[in-house]
Amino acid sequence: MSQNRSGRGPLERRREISGHVLTEGSVSASELAERFGVSVMTIYRDIGELEREGVLRKSRGGVTAQPSGVFESNVAYRKKAMRAEKEAIAARAATLIEPGMSVMLDDSTTALELARLLPRIEQLTVVTNFREVLNLLAEERGLRLMALGGDYDRLHDSFLGVPCVEAIEALRVDLCFVSTSSVHGDFAFHQEQRIVAVKRAMLKAAERNVLMIDHSKLGRTALHRLAPLTAFDTVLIDDRTPPDDLRSLDESGVRYDVAPT
């Protein structure tokens, strides 16, 4: 059995494994064993612990940060994925917001890109359960920021659960912006039931709803149905979306807008 040449302890090694996999997307167990100077068995124990924490998931022969039908990638991985597309979609989304509006943002990384643009719009009220957005906008004096509380979830860096849903139900906003991890057929889907519950509450709390999805979400599978695409006033998608998918949206009567990257 190989020795741990680096002298890392298990916690430090798992942090470094997480960082490496988040950068690469997917890595084999044998590659990790060689990289960290430990046995493949040790690596599998590390992978098992990281999977229990919801950071990564096992794949055939290794580990991946990429999503599956029941696993959503954590915030660190999602922030790196499709960055240009998300910025383009966020820029188009910002054109829908007028000064003095109230807007609700979910805990998606596309919503985070939109949040970066909000300080330039005057007299906004921004409501969110996403800690990254709260931190980003906390010092902005030109807008009113409302935090949706609940059970803090480290994987999503957001607040979820019944308290969050109840806080949303007590509000009414002009616009709600959400994203999701999967669009299949005429419906939006998500891997996690607790996320679906919060997003559905957000959609009910708004006068108008906007779905922001980059083209990588199309045709992906996820376990729980969130809402029909026709439930959204607008679906924003990037210009790298295949023509066949746009035709499918047309045939379904979905109102969409294409954001140039």
Side-chain angles (χ1 to χ4, degrees):
M1 184 174 69
S2 58
Q3 299 296 314
N4 185 345
R5 297 189 296 268
S6 66
R8 299 177 181 86
L11 291 178
E12 181 182 358
R13 185 177 63 248
R14 288 168 191 158
R15 281 195 296 269
E16 294 189 24
I17 288 172
S18 297
H20 182 61
V21 177
L22 289 173
T23 298
E24 298 297 323
S26 298
V27 183
S28 70
S30 58
E31 179 185 338
L32 290 173
E34 176 63 26
R35 181 181 182 88
F36 292 97
V38 296
S39 69
V40 172
M41 185 177 295
T42 296
I43 289 297
Y44 274 121
R45 284 198 294 268
D46 289 337
I47 290 173
E49 184 60 33
L50 292 169
E51 186 174 49
R52 281 190 291 275
E53 294 173 5
V55 178
L56 306 170
R57 68 179 176 90
K58 293 177 184 175
S59 61
R60 184 173 297 180
V63 62
T64 182
Q66 297 173 357
S68 72
V70 295
F71 174 86
E72 183 183 30
S73 304
N74 69 19
V75 172
Y77 180 79
R78 288 187 284 124
K79 283 167 65 176
K80 297 177 182 179
M82 296 287 165
R83 185 70 183 269
E85 289 83 352
K86 291 173 182 176
E87 289 175 347
I89 291 167
R92 181 56 63 93
T95 66
L96 302 176
I97 305 172
E98 298 177 4
M101 279 187 167
S102 56
V103 299
M104 187 175 288
L105 305 181
D106 72 352
D107 60 357
S108 65
T109 51
T110 309
L112 178 61
E113 294 304 322
L114 175 57
R116 300 185 196 282
L117 306 177
L118 297 184
R120 66 184 69 171
I121 305 173
E122 297 179 352
Q123 299 178 335
L124 281 186
T125 296
V126 181
V127 184
T128 188
N129 67 326
F130 195 6
R131 191 173 71 99
E132 292 237 8
V133 171
L134 293 170
N135 290 340
L136 176 69
L137 300 179
E139 300 302 321
E140 296 292 338
R141 296 181 179 273
L143 57 79
R144 180 187 182 194
L145 185 61
M146 297 180 64
L148 296 167
D151 298 321
Y152 178 66
D153 184 279
R154 289 180 176 82
L155 174 63
H156 300 92
D157 199 16
S158 64
F159 298 91
L160 304 171
V162 171
C164 183
V165 170
E166 290 179 344
I168 295 167
E169 290 173 342
L171 300 172
R172 189 71 182 168
V173 298
D174 296 310
L175 274 171
C176 176
F177 294 91
V178 304
S179 186
T180 195
S181 50
S182 166
V183 169
H184 188 77
D186 299 336
F187 289 87
F189 290 80
H190 197 278
Q191 296 95 333
E192 298 183 56
Q193 193 172 26
R194 56 188 174 158
I195 299 291
V196 168
V198 170
K199 290 182 190 288
R200 283 180 178 171
M202 288 181 165
L203 298 180
K204 290 179 181 178
E207 291 292 331
R208 289 189 291 148
N209 292 301
V210 180
L211 177 65
M212 305 181 294
I213 50 169
D214 65 75
H215 68 274
S216 71
K217 310 290 180 64
L218 300 173
R220 229 181 231 179
T221 59
L223 187 60
H224 299 284
R225 190 165 69 181
L226 170 61
L229 296 182
T230 52
F232 297 93
D233 295 272
T234 304
V235 175
L236 297 181
I237 196 161
D238 66 87
D239 62 3
R240 295 178 184 173
T241 304
D244 287 348
D245 290 317
L246 294 180
R247 278 194 294 272
S248 178
L249 293 176
D250 285 325
E251 292 169 359
S252 300
V254 175
R255 295 177 293 275
Y256 68 89
D257 192 6
V258 178
T261 53

